[in-house]
Amino acid sequence: MRTRYLVPIVTVATALSLSGCVNNSEPAATGGASGSTASAAAVDVKKNDSIAASLPEKIKTAGVLNVGMANNYPPNEFKDDNGAPAGWSVDLTNALGKVMGLKVNFDIGTFDNILPAVRAGKDDMGMSSFTDTVEREKQVDFVNYYSAGIQWASPKGKTVDPKNACGLKVAVQATTYEDTHEVPAKSKACTDAGKPAITIFRYDAQDQATNALTVGQVDAMSADSPVTLYAISKTKDKLQTAGDAFEVAPYGIPVAKGSEFTPVLQKALQSLIDDGTYTKILSKWGVEAGGVKTAELNVAAKG
């Protein structure tokens, strides 16, 4: 789950030079795109005139939906073979743009710069696998669109228990929830019990974390459930799930606090859920298990 907080650093390992790299890219989609940098939507989507008419005047006049994204988290959002944004959240964003009659412009940058850009009005929204948390809801509002858990992976044939990982080497993507909270908490529990700490290997991109596990430099990796399952599918039977998914939490689309755009975005997402487009997009990528039935707002605050 992508999140960033200031926490004590338990162990830091920089990205290593890896061999036998895993390619997590997908071929570029075919068909019309919502914008010059957008991959094609998974299914045909028509403009909803009523929803489009209710857009804030600034966005309606511009005719463009500016979306902050960090494209290094396959299969949610990443670069295809041509370097264009791809993934199921990209397909979903393109579909939202079409419902609202807007071209989609993906403002690609680093993950930790997205919320400031949304708050400052540089981007209309973000779409980068943000976990909706109470702390973040103090900065932005979230339109919730998915539920994801944490899923560990290990090499094929090697049993790893996430509940008993003391002394193991575990790969994570830097600044994710797994990096800042989940694995450090497990490591602290180990040392508090007089057991060896977990050595945390942090990488800038998920591909690097997956590669580290694939070539045997670490014992396990921890990531969001759709990310781990996708990584396993791309490694040609070299990896397997380690335990069941846990700590299920909502993904949210961040928008500026109190923005007039928020209810319009909610309606656009709900329309895609109601007409089946949303499920088709998720099913295309094999992540339908985390689908939601209602486009709710700020789920974390509701407990």
Side-chain angles (χ1 to χ4, degrees):
M1 297 168 196
R2 290 198 179 196
T3 186
R4 182 168 188 140
Y5 299 94
L6 295 176
V7 297
I9 296 177
V10 179
T11 306
V12 177
T14 57
L16 304 175
S17 176
L18 303 176
S19 59
C21 292
V22 177
N23 180 8
N24 274 331
S25 66
E26 285 282 337
T30 58
S34 298
S36 59
T37 60
S39 66
V43 292
D44 183 42
V45 181
K46 292 182 172 59
K47 177 182 177 182
N48 183 308
D49 291 333
S50 175
I51 292 176
S54 62
L55 282 165
E57 198 59 41
K58 180 181 177 181
I59 298 178
K60 188 189 305 183
T61 301
V64 176
L65 180 65
N66 290 306
V67 181
M69 178 176 285
N71 61 345
N72 59 357
Y73 210 50
N76 301 4
E77 52 274 334
F78 60 101
K79 292 184 287 187
D80 68 14
D81 290 339
N82 296 319
W88 66 266
S89 64
V90 173
D91 285 348
L92 180 58
T93 304
N94 285 333
L96 288 168
K98 288 187 175 183
V99 168
M100 294 183 282
L102 301 171
K103 291 183 178 181
V104 175
N105 173 55
F106 289 103
D107 182 15
I108 304 300
T110 59
F111 179 73
D112 51 352
N113 284 333
I114 296 174
L115 293 189
V118 170
R119 290 163 57 195
K122 178 176 180 289
D123 292 326
D124 302 307
M125 59 178 257
M127 183 60 111
S128 211
S129 304
F130 279 93
T131 302
D132 176 1
T133 67
V134 173
E135 182 174 336
R136 279 190 173 146
E137 287 179 9
K138 296 175 183 177
Q139 305 177 55
V140 294
D141 287 327
F142 283 102
V143 176
N144 300 106
Y145 67 99
Y146 193 76
S147 291
I150 299 172
Q151 178 68 62
W152 280 38
S154 63
K156 194 79 170 182
K158 180 175 182 176
T159 300
V160 171
D161 181 3
K163 298 177 182 178
N164 185 24
C166 302
L168 297 184
K169 299 175 182 178
V170 179
V172 296
Q173 181 177 339
T175 77
T176 59
Y177 178 86
E178 289 82 1
D179 169 29
T180 61
H181 277 56
E182 184 249 331
V183 182
K186 283 182 169 63
S187 183
K188 185 176 185 303
C190 290
T191 55
D192 286 350
K195 298 179 181 180
I198 296 172
T199 303
I200 306 173
F201 282 69
R202 295 176 170 92
Y203 298 91
D204 291 336
Q206 180 59 43
D207 280 0
Q208 295 173 319
T210 302
N211 289 332
L213 180 59
T214 302
V215 302
Q217 292 178 335
V218 295
D219 301 299
M221 78 173 191
S222 180
D224 289 12
S225 50
V227 173
T228 298
L229 295 175
Y230 182 75
I232 290 172
S233 74
K234 303 296 287 186
T235 58
K236 303 185 186 300
D237 296 324
K238 293 181 179 179
L239 304 179
Q240 65 184 19
T241 56
D244 297 324
F246 55 94
E247 290 191 33
V248 176
Y251 278 173
I253 303 172
V255 289
K257 292 291 290 184
S259 171
E260 295 179 358
F261 176 56
T262 302
V264 184
L265 179 60
Q266 275 186 283
K267 290 178 182 177
L269 177 57
Q270 191 63 53
S271 73
L272 293 174
I273 294 172
D274 293 342
D275 70 13
T277 299
Y278 170 83
T279 300
K280 289 179 181 177
I281 291 172
L282 268 56
S283 297
K284 170 190 171 184
W285 294 92
V287 298
E288 62 273 19
V292 298
K293 296 182 178 180
T294 306
E296 295 190 67
L297 180 67
N298 295 331
V299 169
K302 299 175 182 177

